[in-house]
């Protein structure tokens, strides 16, 4: 059975991964893992003057693009998909030296990206540190009796990147009073009351919050009044 017509690719050589066992029509070598069609007849890569090229599977777009840029001679490798009734790309054939040069370029880019990620991570860490300090300072302004380590712990917990907590909200980033108080209330709820134990016993969240509301308010009142007494 003849192979289906290969896709037309102006300016590009096309090599086929055959689905069936094929032999070269010129040298009779086979079965061929890769072949080129010339006038409808299969040719092995050596007979098609492509035997010195190496196969680069698809998947790494940057490497493929650069390998083709570096290679004087290249070919697209395709395989027929019976279900879709069409040829699909499997990779490219390029000169071995060109592939090596392309890999060096990609590695250099990867190193540059790694360094940029490291710089960005350091910058974000510094930004986060400044924000946590500002958040903790605002907690201490509103609750002067709050221990400094607790204020920092609450601020750090509330502002973890990607957490969705109040410190990462627009109001939290703006250090609004409501957002700061919400973060403090949440911290007190989980650390200074049996709220978590109630949830583990199956008490509904709203009921658990109702039960510990007085304890939360007691802690907050103490933190406010301690500060006022010290100021007096």
């Amino acid at each position: 059975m003849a192979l289906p017509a290969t896709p037309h690719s102006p300016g590009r050589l096309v090599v086929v991964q055959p689905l069936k066992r094929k032999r070269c029509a010129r040298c009779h070598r086979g079965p061929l893992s890769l072949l080129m069609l010339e006038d409808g007849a299969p040719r092995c890569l050596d007979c098609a003057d492509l035997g010195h090229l190496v196969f680069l599977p698809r998947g790494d777009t940057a490497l493929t693009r650069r390998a083709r840029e570096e290679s004087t001679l290249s070919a697209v490798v395709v395989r027929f998909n019976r279900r879709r009734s069409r040829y699909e790309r499997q990779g490219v054939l390029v000169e071995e030296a060109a592939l090596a040069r392309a890999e060096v370029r990609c590695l250099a880019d990867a190193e540059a990206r790694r360094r940029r990620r490291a710089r960005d991570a350091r910058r974000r860490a510094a930004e986060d540190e400044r924000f946590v300090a500002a958040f903790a300072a605002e907690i201490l302004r509103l609750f002067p009796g709050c221990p400094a380590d607790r204020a920092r712990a609450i601020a750090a917990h509330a502002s973890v990147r990607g957490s969705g907590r109040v410190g990462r909200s627009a109001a939290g980033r703006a250090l609004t009073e409501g957002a700061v108080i919400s973060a403090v209330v949440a911290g007190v709820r989980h650390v200074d009351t049996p709220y978590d134990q109630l949830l583990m016993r199956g008490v509904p969240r709203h009921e658990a919050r109702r039960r510990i509301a007085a304890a939360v308010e007691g802690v907050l009142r103490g933190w406010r009044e301690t500060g006022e007494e010290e100021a007096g």
Side-chain angles (χ1 to χ4, degrees), residues 110-146:
E111 176 62 17
R113 288 194 297 271
R114 186 193 67 78
R115 291 180 180 178
R116 184 169 61 248
R117 286 194 298 269
R119 288 195 303 271
D120 290 345
R122 289 194 296 270
R123 174 182 52 78
R124 288 192 298 269
E127 291 174 352
D128 290 348
E129 181 64 24
R130 288 192 295 269
F131 179 69
V132 168
F135 203 104
E138 189 63 13
I139 291 174
L140 292 175
R141 186 186 70 82
L142 296 172
F143 301 94
C146 177

PDB file of all heavy atoms in Angstrom, residues 110-146:
ATOM      1  N   ALA A 110      18.651  29.113  30.407  1.00  0.00           N
ATOM      2  CA  ALA A 110      18.130  28.508  31.636  1.00  0.00           C
ATOM      3  C   ALA A 110      18.846  29.067  32.852  1.00  0.00           C
ATOM      4  O   ALA A 110      18.232  29.339  33.887  1.00  0.00           O
ATOM      5  CB  ALA A 110      18.281  26.987  31.577  1.00  0.00           C
ATOM      6  N   GLU A 111      20.167  29.264  32.729  1.00  0.00           N
ATOM      7  CA  GLU A 111      20.933  29.837  33.836  1.00  0.00           C
ATOM      8  C   GLU A 111      20.506  31.278  34.088  1.00  0.00           C
ATOM      9  O   GLU A 111      20.380  31.708  35.241  1.00  0.00           O
ATOM     10  CB  GLU A 111      22.432  29.768  33.520  1.00  0.00           C
ATOM     11  CG  GLU A 111      23.328  30.417  34.556  1.00  0.00           C
ATOM     12  CD  GLU A 111      23.245  29.778  35.935  1.00  0.00           C
ATOM     13  OE1 GLU A 111      22.737  28.638  36.034  1.00  0.00           O
ATOM     14  OE2 GLU A 111      23.694  30.415  36.908  1.00  0.00           O
ATOM     15  N   ALA A 112      20.273  32.025  32.996  1.00  0.00           N
ATOM     16  CA  ALA A 112      19.817  33.410  33.156  1.00  0.00           C
ATOM     17  C   ALA A 112      18.458  33.448  33.844  1.00  0.00           C
ATOM     18  O   ALA A 112      18.206  34.288  34.718  1.00  0.00           O
ATOM     19  CB  ALA A 112      19.747  34.098  31.793  1.00  0.00           C
ATOM     20  N   ARG A 113      17.575  32.518  33.446  1.00  0.00           N
ATOM     21  CA  ARG A 113      16.257  32.468  34.085  1.00  0.00           C
ATOM     22  C   ARG A 113      16.380  32.086  35.556  1.00  0.00           C
ATOM     23  O   ARG A 113      15.658  32.616  36.408  1.00  0.00           O
ATOM     24  CB  ARG A 113      15.349  31.470  33.352  1.00  0.00           C
ATOM     25  CG  ARG A 113      14.873  31.953  31.988  1.00  0.00           C
ATOM     26  CD  ARG A 113      13.738  31.094  31.469  1.00  0.00           C
ATOM     27  NE  ARG A 113      14.150  29.715  31.265  1.00  0.00           N
ATOM     28  CZ  ARG A 113      14.663  29.257  30.127  1.00  0.00           C
ATOM     29  NH1 ARG A 113      14.856  30.078  29.095  1.00  0.00           N
ATOM     30  NH2 ARG A 113      14.998  27.990  30.000  1.00  0.00           N
ATOM     31  N   ARG A 114      17.285  31.155  35.863  1.00  0.00           N
ATOM     32  CA  ARG A 114      17.479  30.756  37.257  1.00  0.00           C
ATOM     33  C   ARG A 114      17.952  31.937  38.098  1.00  0.00           C
ATOM     34  O   ARG A 114      17.467  32.161  39.213  1.00  0.00           O
ATOM     35  CB  ARG A 114      18.499  29.614  37.344  1.00  0.00           C
ATOM     36  CG  ARG A 114      18.666  29.042  38.748  1.00  0.00           C
ATOM     37  CD  ARG A 114      19.891  28.162  38.845  1.00  0.00           C
ATOM     38  NE  ARG A 114      21.112  28.921  38.682  1.00  0.00           N
ATOM     39  CZ  ARG A 114      21.650  29.674  39.637  1.00  0.00           C
ATOM     40  NH1 ARG A 114      21.062  29.791  40.820  1.00  0.00           N
ATOM     41  NH2 ARG A 114      22.776  30.334  39.412  1.00  0.00           N
ATOM     42  N   ARG A 115      18.902  32.694  37.546  1.00  0.00           N
ATOM     43  CA  ARG A 115      19.403  33.852  38.285  1.00  0.00           C
ATOM     44  C   ARG A 115      18.304  34.904  38.460  1.00  0.00           C
ATOM     45  O   ARG A 115      18.210  35.544  39.515  1.00  0.00           O
ATOM     46  CB  ARG A 115      20.597  34.449  37.549  1.00  0.00           C
ATOM     47  CG  ARG A 115      21.836  33.562  37.569  1.00  0.00           C
ATOM     48  CD  ARG A 115      22.985  34.200  36.814  1.00  0.00           C
ATOM     49  NE  ARG A 115      24.166  33.340  36.838  1.00  0.00           N
ATOM     50  CZ  ARG A 115      25.299  33.636  36.216  1.00  0.00           C
ATOM     51  NH1 ARG A 115      25.394  34.769  35.521  1.00  0.00           N
ATOM     52  NH2 ARG A 115      26.322  32.812  36.274  1.00  0.00           N
ATOM     53  N   ARG A 116      17.486  35.095  37.398  1.00  0.00           N
ATOM     54  CA  ARG A 116      16.401  36.067  37.505  1.00  0.00           C
ATOM     55  C   ARG A 116      15.385  35.629  38.545  1.00  0.00           C
ATOM     56  O   ARG A 116      14.892  36.447  39.335  1.00  0.00           O
ATOM     57  CB  ARG A 116      15.730  36.257  36.145  1.00  0.00           C
ATOM     58  CG  ARG A 116      14.643  37.337  36.155  1.00  0.00           C
ATOM     59  CD  ARG A 116      14.186  37.700  34.762  1.00  0.00           C
ATOM     60  NE  ARG A 116      13.618  36.558  34.064  1.00  0.00           N
ATOM     61  CZ  ARG A 116      14.171  35.962  33.023  1.00  0.00           C
ATOM     62  NH1 ARG A 116      15.342  36.384  32.551  1.00  0.00           N
ATOM     63  NH2 ARG A 116      13.582  34.932  32.437  1.00  0.00           N
ATOM     64  N   ARG A 117      15.074  34.315  38.560  1.00  0.00           N
ATOM     65  CA  ARG A 117      14.141  33.813  39.574  1.00  0.00           C
ATOM     66  C   ARG A 117      14.703  34.012  40.977  1.00  0.00           C
ATOM     67  O   ARG A 117      13.964  34.343  41.910  1.00  0.00           O
ATOM     68  CB  ARG A 117      13.846  32.331  39.327  1.00  0.00           C
ATOM     69  CG  ARG A 117      12.914  32.074  38.140  1.00  0.00           C
ATOM     70  CD  ARG A 117      12.391  30.651  38.174  1.00  0.00           C
ATOM     71  NE  ARG A 117      13.466  29.671  38.062  1.00  0.00           N
ATOM     72  CZ  ARG A 117      13.889  29.175  36.909  1.00  0.00           C
ATOM     73  NH1 ARG A 117      13.351  29.563  35.776  1.00  0.00           N
ATOM     74  NH2 ARG A 117      14.857  28.266  36.881  1.00  0.00           N
ATOM     75  N   ALA A 118      16.022  33.794  41.124  1.00  0.00           N
ATOM     76  CA  ALA A 118      16.639  33.980  42.438  1.00  0.00           C
ATOM     77  C   ALA A 118      16.570  35.443  42.862  1.00  0.00           C
ATOM     78  O   ALA A 118      16.273  35.752  44.025  1.00  0.00           O
ATOM     79  CB  ALA A 118      18.090  33.505  42.407  1.00  0.00           C
ATOM     80  N   ARG A 119      16.837  36.360  41.915  1.00  0.00           N
ATOM     81  CA  ARG A 119      16.739  37.791  42.234  1.00  0.00           C
ATOM     82  C   ARG A 119      15.309  38.170  42.601  1.00  0.00           C
ATOM     83  O   ARG A 119      15.076  38.909  43.568  1.00  0.00           O
ATOM     84  CB  ARG A 119      17.210  38.641  41.046  1.00  0.00           C
ATOM     85  CG  ARG A 119      18.700  38.617  40.794  1.00  0.00           C
ATOM     86  CD  ARG A 119      19.109  39.744  39.851  1.00  0.00           C
ATOM     87  NE  ARG A 119      18.398  39.694  38.578  1.00  0.00           N
ATOM     88  CZ  ARG A 119      18.816  39.025  37.516  1.00  0.00           C
ATOM     89  NH1 ARG A 119      19.946  38.322  37.570  1.00  0.00           N
ATOM     90  NH2 ARG A 119      18.135  39.034  36.390  1.00  0.00           N
ATOM     91  N   ASP A 120      14.355  37.650  41.824  1.00  0.00           N
ATOM     92  CA  ASP A 120      12.950  37.958  42.110  1.00  0.00           C
ATOM     93  C   ASP A 120      12.540  37.406  43.474  1.00  0.00           C
ATOM     94  O   ASP A 120      11.777  38.045  44.203  1.00  0.00           O
ATOM     95  CB  ASP A 120      12.044  37.370  41.020  1.00  0.00           C
ATOM     96  CG  ASP A 120      12.189  38.101  39.693  1.00  0.00           C
ATOM     97  OD1 ASP A 120      12.750  39.213  39.686  1.00  0.00           O
ATOM     98  OD2 ASP A 120      11.748  37.556  38.661  1.00  0.00           O
ATOM     99  N   ALA A 121      13.036  36.212  43.802  1.00  0.00           N
ATOM    100  CA  ALA A 121      12.696  35.617  45.099  1.00  0.00           C
ATOM    101  C   ALA A 121      13.261  36.457  46.240  1.00  0.00           C
ATOM    102  O   ALA A 121      12.581  36.674  47.252  1.00  0.00           O
ATOM    103  CB  ALA A 121      13.236  34.187  45.181  1.00  0.00           C
ATOM    104  N   ARG A 122      14.501  36.942  46.073  1.00  0.00           N
ATOM    105  CA  ARG A 122      15.088  37.797  47.116  1.00  0.00           C
ATOM    106  C   ARG A 122      14.316  39.111  47.241  1.00  0.00           C
ATOM    107  O   ARG A 122      14.096  39.601  48.361  1.00  0.00           O
ATOM    108  CB  ARG A 122      16.565  38.069  46.799  1.00  0.00           C
ATOM    109  CG  ARG A 122      17.477  36.861  46.973  1.00  0.00           C
ATOM    110  CD  ARG A 122      18.929  37.265  46.975  1.00  0.00           C
ATOM    111  NE  ARG A 122      19.343  37.833  45.702  1.00  0.00           N
ATOM    112  CZ  ARG A 122      19.838  37.124  44.687  1.00  0.00           C
ATOM    113  NH1 ARG A 122      19.956  35.805  44.795  1.00  0.00           N
ATOM    114  NH2 ARG A 122      20.209  37.709  43.567  1.00  0.00           N
ATOM    115  N   ARG A 123      13.909  39.660  46.102  1.00  0.00           N
ATOM    116  CA  ARG A 123      13.149  40.910  46.140  1.00  0.00           C
ATOM    117  C   ARG A 123      11.807  40.712  46.830  1.00  0.00           C
ATOM    118  O   ARG A 123      11.405  41.512  47.681  1.00  0.00           O
ATOM    119  CB  ARG A 123      12.928  41.430  44.710  1.00  0.00           C
ATOM    120  CG  ARG A 123      12.025  42.660  44.627  1.00  0.00           C
ATOM    121  CD  ARG A 123      11.819  43.096  43.188  1.00  0.00           C
ATOM    122  NE  ARG A 123      11.373  42.014  42.342  1.00  0.00           N
ATOM    123  CZ  ARG A 123      10.121  41.562  42.310  1.00  0.00           C
ATOM    124  NH1 ARG A 123       9.192  42.091  43.115  1.00  0.00           N
ATOM    125  NH2 ARG A 123       9.779  40.588  41.491  1.00  0.00           N
ATOM    126  N   ARG A 124      11.117  39.597  46.485  1.00  0.00           N
ATOM    127  CA  ARG A 124       9.821  39.341  47.119  1.00  0.00           C
ATOM    128  C   ARG A 124       9.980  39.097  48.616  1.00  0.00           C
ATOM    129  O   ARG A 124       9.148  39.531  49.416  1.00  0.00           O
ATOM    130  CB  ARG A 124       9.142  38.139  46.457  1.00  0.00           C
ATOM    131  CG  ARG A 124       8.610  38.427  45.059  1.00  0.00           C
ATOM    132  CD  ARG A 124       7.697  37.307  44.594  1.00  0.00           C
ATOM    133  NE  ARG A 124       8.405  36.033  44.494  1.00  0.00           N
ATOM    134  CZ  ARG A 124       9.010  35.610  43.393  1.00  0.00           C
ATOM    135  NH1 ARG A 124       9.008  36.361  42.295  1.00  0.00           N
ATOM    136  NH2 ARG A 124       9.615  34.445  43.358  1.00  0.00           N
ATOM    137  N   ALA A 125      11.061  38.390  48.988  1.00  0.00           N
ATOM    138  CA  ALA A 125      11.288  38.129  50.410  1.00  0.00           C
ATOM    139  C   ALA A 125      11.508  39.430  51.168  1.00  0.00           C
ATOM    140  O   ALA A 125      11.004  39.607  52.292  1.00  0.00           O
ATOM    141  CB  ALA A 125      12.496  37.203  50.589  1.00  0.00           C
ATOM    142  N   ALA A 126      12.262  40.356  50.565  1.00  0.00           N
ATOM    143  CA  ALA A 126      12.490  41.646  51.220  1.00  0.00           C
ATOM    144  C   ALA A 126      11.195  42.439  51.325  1.00  0.00           C
ATOM    145  O   ALA A 126      10.906  43.062  52.358  1.00  0.00           O
ATOM    146  CB  ALA A 126      13.537  42.448  50.441  1.00  0.00           C
ATOM    147  N   GLU A 127      10.392  42.401  50.256  1.00  0.00           N
ATOM    148  CA  GLU A 127       9.099  43.085  50.288  1.00  0.00           C
ATOM    149  C   GLU A 127       8.201  42.493  51.366  1.00  0.00           C
ATOM    150  O   GLU A 127       7.535  43.225  52.112  1.00  0.00           O
ATOM    151  CB  GLU A 127       8.413  42.982  48.921  1.00  0.00           C
ATOM    152  CG  GLU A 127       9.087  43.783  47.823  1.00  0.00           C
ATOM    153  CD  GLU A 127       8.457  43.522  46.469  1.00  0.00           C
ATOM    154  OE1 GLU A 127       7.595  42.609  46.369  1.00  0.00           O
ATOM    155  OE2 GLU A 127       8.818  44.211  45.499  1.00  0.00           O
ATOM    156  N   ASP A 128       8.192  41.163  51.435  1.00  0.00           N
ATOM    157  CA  ASP A 128       7.357  40.499  52.446  1.00  0.00           C
ATOM    158  C   ASP A 128       7.819  40.852  53.853  1.00  0.00           C
ATOM    159  O   ASP A 128       7.000  41.063  54.748  1.00  0.00           O
ATOM    160  CB  ASP A 128       7.390  38.981  52.244  1.00  0.00           C
ATOM    161  CG  ASP A 128       6.653  38.545  50.989  1.00  0.00           C
ATOM    162  OD1 ASP A 128       5.931  39.382  50.405  1.00  0.00           O
ATOM    163  OD2 ASP A 128       6.808  37.377  50.588  1.00  0.00           O
ATOM    164  N   GLU A 129       9.125  40.904  54.045  1.00  0.00           N
ATOM    165  CA  GLU A 129       9.669  41.232  55.368  1.00  0.00           C
ATOM    166  C   GLU A 129       9.250  42.641  55.781  1.00  0.00           C
ATOM    167  O   GLU A 129       8.842  42.872  56.928  1.00  0.00           O
ATOM    168  CB  GLU A 129      11.191  41.117  55.343  1.00  0.00           C
ATOM    169  CG  GLU A 129      11.869  41.412  56.664  1.00  0.00           C
ATOM    170  CD  GLU A 129      11.514  40.426  57.760  1.00  0.00           C
ATOM    171  OE1 GLU A 129      11.124  39.286  57.435  1.00  0.00           O
ATOM    172  OE2 GLU A 129      11.626  40.794  58.948  1.00  0.00           O
ATOM    173  N   ARG A 130       9.332  43.574  54.842  1.00  0.00           N
ATOM    174  CA  ARG A 130       8.921  44.949  55.152  1.00  0.00           C
ATOM    175  C   ARG A 130       7.428  45.017  55.456  1.00  0.00           C
ATOM    176  O   ARG A 130       7.002  45.724  56.383  1.00  0.00           O
ATOM    177  CB  ARG A 130       9.268  45.874  53.982  1.00  0.00           C
ATOM    178  CG  ARG A 130      10.755  46.158  53.833  1.00  0.00           C
ATOM    179  CD  ARG A 130      11.008  47.295  52.871  1.00  0.00           C
ATOM    180  NE  ARG A 130      10.590  46.957  51.513  1.00  0.00           N
ATOM    181  CZ  ARG A 130      11.384  46.409  50.615  1.00  0.00           C
ATOM    182  NH1 ARG A 130      12.642  46.107  50.918  1.00  0.00           N
ATOM    183  NH2 ARG A 130      10.945  46.133  49.389  1.00  0.00           N
ATOM    184  N   PHE A 131       6.637  44.263  54.688  1.00  0.00           N
ATOM    185  CA  PHE A 131       5.200  44.302  54.899  1.00  0.00           C
ATOM    186  C   PHE A 131       4.822  43.679  56.241  1.00  0.00           C
ATOM    187  O   PHE A 131       3.960  44.191  56.964  1.00  0.00           O
ATOM    188  CB  PHE A 131       4.464  43.592  53.770  1.00  0.00           C
ATOM    189  CG  PHE A 131       2.979  43.588  53.941  1.00  0.00           C
ATOM    190  CD1 PHE A 131       2.250  44.764  53.832  1.00  0.00           C
ATOM    191  CD2 PHE A 131       2.299  42.417  54.251  1.00  0.00           C
ATOM    192  CE1 PHE A 131       0.877  44.771  54.009  1.00  0.00           C
ATOM    193  CE2 PHE A 131       0.929  42.423  54.437  1.00  0.00           C
ATOM    194  CZ  PHE A 131       0.218  43.595  54.313  1.00  0.00           C
ATOM    195  N   VAL A 132       5.441  42.546  56.577  1.00  0.00           N
ATOM    196  CA  VAL A 132       5.161  41.910  57.871  1.00  0.00           C
ATOM    197  C   VAL A 132       5.507  42.864  59.007  1.00  0.00           C
ATOM    198  O   VAL A 132       4.754  42.976  59.988  1.00  0.00           O
ATOM    199  CB  VAL A 132       5.948  40.586  58.002  1.00  0.00           C
ATOM    200  CG1 VAL A 132       5.901  40.067  59.439  1.00  0.00           C
ATOM    201  CG2 VAL A 132       5.381  39.537  57.058  1.00  0.00           C
ATOM    202  N   ALA A 133       6.634  43.562  58.886  1.00  0.00           N
ATOM    203  CA  ALA A 133       7.015  44.515  59.928  1.00  0.00           C
ATOM    204  C   ALA A 133       5.982  45.639  60.044  1.00  0.00           C
ATOM    205  O   ALA A 133       5.619  46.046  61.159  1.00  0.00           O
ATOM    206  CB  ALA A 133       8.395  45.086  59.621  1.00  0.00           C
ATOM    207  N   ALA A 134       5.510  46.134  58.901  1.00  0.00           N
ATOM    208  CA  ALA A 134       4.506  47.205  58.925  1.00  0.00           C
ATOM    209  C   ALA A 134       3.184  46.703  59.497  1.00  0.00           C
ATOM    210  O   ALA A 134       2.510  47.410  60.269  1.00  0.00           O
ATOM    211  CB  ALA A 134       4.301  47.753  57.509  1.00  0.00           C
ATOM    212  N   PHE A 135       2.806  45.474  59.151  1.00  0.00           N
ATOM    213  CA  PHE A 135       1.562  44.881  59.640  1.00  0.00           C
ATOM    214  C   PHE A 135       1.649  44.688  61.157  1.00  0.00           C
ATOM    215  O   PHE A 135       0.704  45.000  61.901  1.00  0.00           O
ATOM    216  CB  PHE A 135       1.314  43.548  58.942  1.00  0.00           C
ATOM    217  CG  PHE A 135      -0.119  43.116  58.920  1.00  0.00           C
ATOM    218  CD1 PHE A 135      -0.876  43.221  57.770  1.00  0.00           C
ATOM    219  CD2 PHE A 135      -0.730  42.591  60.056  1.00  0.00           C
ATOM    220  CE1 PHE A 135      -2.202  42.810  57.735  1.00  0.00           C
ATOM    221  CE2 PHE A 135      -2.045  42.186  60.042  1.00  0.00           C
ATOM    222  CZ  PHE A 135      -2.791  42.293  58.878  1.00  0.00           C
ATOM    223  N   ALA A 136       2.792  44.175  61.615  1.00  0.00           N
ATOM    224  CA  ALA A 136       2.976  43.960  63.053  1.00  0.00           C
ATOM    225  C   ALA A 136       2.951  45.288  63.806  1.00  0.00           C
ATOM    226  O   ALA A 136       2.383  45.381  64.913  1.00  0.00           O
ATOM    227  CB  ALA A 136       4.297  43.234  63.308  1.00  0.00           C
ATOM    228  N   ALA A 137       3.544  46.316  63.215  1.00  0.00           N
ATOM    229  CA  ALA A 137       3.534  47.634  63.859  1.00  0.00           C
ATOM    230  C   ALA A 137       2.109  48.164  63.984  1.00  0.00           C
ATOM    231  O   ALA A 137       1.751  48.784  65.006  1.00  0.00           O
ATOM    232  CB  ALA A 137       4.395  48.608  63.058  1.00  0.00           C
ATOM    233  N   GLU A 138       1.292  47.914  62.963  1.00  0.00           N
ATOM    234  CA  GLU A 138      -0.105  48.369  63.015  1.00  0.00           C
ATOM    235  C   GLU A 138      -0.889  47.585  64.071  1.00  0.00           C
ATOM    236  O   GLU A 138      -1.748  48.146  64.767  1.00  0.00           O
ATOM    237  CB  GLU A 138      -0.745  48.217  61.635  1.00  0.00           C
ATOM    238  CG  GLU A 138      -2.124  48.838  61.497  1.00  0.00           C
ATOM    239  CD  GLU A 138      -2.130  50.349  61.694  1.00  0.00           C
ATOM    240  OE1 GLU A 138      -1.039  50.968  61.700  1.00  0.00           O
ATOM    241  OE2 GLU A 138      -3.229  50.922  61.856  1.00  0.00           O
ATOM    242  N   ILE A 139      -0.581  46.311  64.211  1.00  0.00           N
ATOM    243  CA  ILE A 139      -1.219  45.515  65.270  1.00  0.00           C
ATOM    244  C   ILE A 139      -0.877  46.102  66.629  1.00  0.00           C
ATOM    245  O   ILE A 139      -1.760  46.277  67.496  1.00  0.00           O
ATOM    246  CB  ILE A 139      -0.756  44.039  65.194  1.00  0.00           C
ATOM    247  CG1 ILE A 139      -1.319  43.363  63.936  1.00  0.00           C
ATOM    248  CG2 ILE A 139      -1.197  43.264  66.445  1.00  0.00           C
ATOM    249  CD1 ILE A 139      -0.794  41.955  63.712  1.00  0.00           C
ATOM    250  N   LEU A 140       0.373  46.424  66.831  1.00  0.00           N
ATOM    251  CA  LEU A 140       0.800  46.967  68.123  1.00  0.00           C
ATOM    252  C   LEU A 140       0.221  48.360  68.368  1.00  0.00           C
ATOM    253  O   LEU A 140       0.008  48.754  69.514  1.00  0.00           O
ATOM    254  CB  LEU A 140       2.324  47.005  68.195  1.00  0.00           C
ATOM    255  CG  LEU A 140       3.005  45.624  68.239  1.00  0.00           C
ATOM    256  CD1 LEU A 140       4.513  45.767  68.179  1.00  0.00           C
ATOM    257  CD2 LEU A 140       2.587  44.861  69.489  1.00  0.00           C
ATOM    258  N   ARG A 141      -0.032  49.095  67.303  1.00  0.00           N
ATOM    259  CA  ARG A 141      -0.664  50.403  67.486  1.00  0.00           C
ATOM    260  C   ARG A 141      -2.093  50.248  67.972  1.00  0.00           C
ATOM    261  O   ARG A 141      -2.549  50.977  68.864  1.00  0.00           O
ATOM    262  CB  ARG A 141      -0.649  51.182  66.170  1.00  0.00           C
ATOM    263  CG  ARG A 141      -1.162  52.628  66.296  1.00  0.00           C
ATOM    264  CD  ARG A 141      -1.252  53.307  64.951  1.00  0.00           C
ATOM    265  NE  ARG A 141      -2.333  52.760  64.129  1.00  0.00           N
ATOM    266  CZ  ARG A 141      -3.622  53.137  64.253  1.00  0.00           C
ATOM    267  NH1 ARG A 141      -3.990  54.012  65.187  1.00  0.00           N
ATOM    268  NH2 ARG A 141      -4.533  52.606  63.453  1.00  0.00           N
ATOM    269  N   LEU A 142      -2.811  49.274  67.393  1.00  0.00           N
ATOM    270  CA  LEU A 142      -4.208  49.054  67.778  1.00  0.00           C
ATOM    271  C   LEU A 142      -4.317  48.272  69.082  1.00  0.00           C
ATOM    272  O   LEU A 142      -5.285  48.451  69.836  1.00  0.00           O
ATOM    273  CB  LEU A 142      -4.938  48.300  66.659  1.00  0.00           C
ATOM    274  CG  LEU A 142      -5.066  49.044  65.320  1.00  0.00           C
ATOM    275  CD1 LEU A 142      -5.629  48.120  64.254  1.00  0.00           C
ATOM    276  CD2 LEU A 142      -5.967  50.266  65.481  1.00  0.00           C
ATOM    277  N   PHE A 143      -3.353  47.388  69.331  1.00  0.00           N
ATOM    278  CA  PHE A 143      -3.380  46.547  70.529  1.00  0.00           C
ATOM    279  C   PHE A 143      -2.022  46.658  71.223  1.00  0.00           C
ATOM    280  O   PHE A 143      -1.179  45.752  71.110  1.00  0.00           O
ATOM    281  CB  PHE A 143      -3.686  45.095  70.167  1.00  0.00           C
ATOM    282  CG  PHE A 143      -4.993  44.903  69.454  1.00  0.00           C
ATOM    283  CD1 PHE A 143      -5.048  44.873  68.061  1.00  0.00           C
ATOM    284  CD2 PHE A 143      -6.175  44.775  70.170  1.00  0.00           C
ATOM    285  CE1 PHE A 143      -6.253  44.705  67.408  1.00  0.00           C
ATOM    286  CE2 PHE A 143      -7.387  44.610  69.511  1.00  0.00           C
ATOM    287  CZ  PHE A 143      -7.433  44.577  68.131  1.00  0.00           C
ATOM    288  N   PRO A 144      -1.779  47.738  71.921  1.00  0.00           N
ATOM    289  CA  PRO A 144      -0.454  47.980  72.516  1.00  0.00           C
ATOM    290  C   PRO A 144      -0.008  46.901  73.496  1.00  0.00           C
ATOM    291  O   PRO A 144       1.200  46.725  73.712  1.00  0.00           O
ATOM    292  CB  PRO A 144      -0.640  49.318  73.233  1.00  0.00           C
ATOM    293  CG  PRO A 144      -1.830  49.945  72.592  1.00  0.00           C
ATOM    294  CD  PRO A 144      -2.721  48.829  72.189  1.00  0.00           C
ATOM    295  N   GLY A 145      -0.964  46.183  74.085  1.00  0.00           N
ATOM    296  CA  GLY A 145      -0.590  45.154  75.038  1.00  0.00           C
ATOM    297  C   GLY A 145      -0.278  43.818  74.402  1.00  0.00           C
ATOM    298  O   GLY A 145       0.107  42.869  75.098  1.00  0.00           O
ATOM    299  N   CYS A 146      -0.425  43.709  73.117  1.00  0.00           N
ATOM    300  CA  CYS A 146      -0.110  42.446  72.428  1.00  0.00           C
ATOM    301  C   CYS A 146       1.391  42.216  72.471  1.00  0.00           C
ATOM    302  O   CYS A 146       2.178  43.109  72.119  1.00  0.00           O
ATOM    303  CB  CYS A 146      -0.587  42.511  70.973  1.00  0.00           C
ATOM    304  SG  CYS A 146      -0.173  41.050  69.979  1.00  0.00           S
TER     305      CYS A 146
END
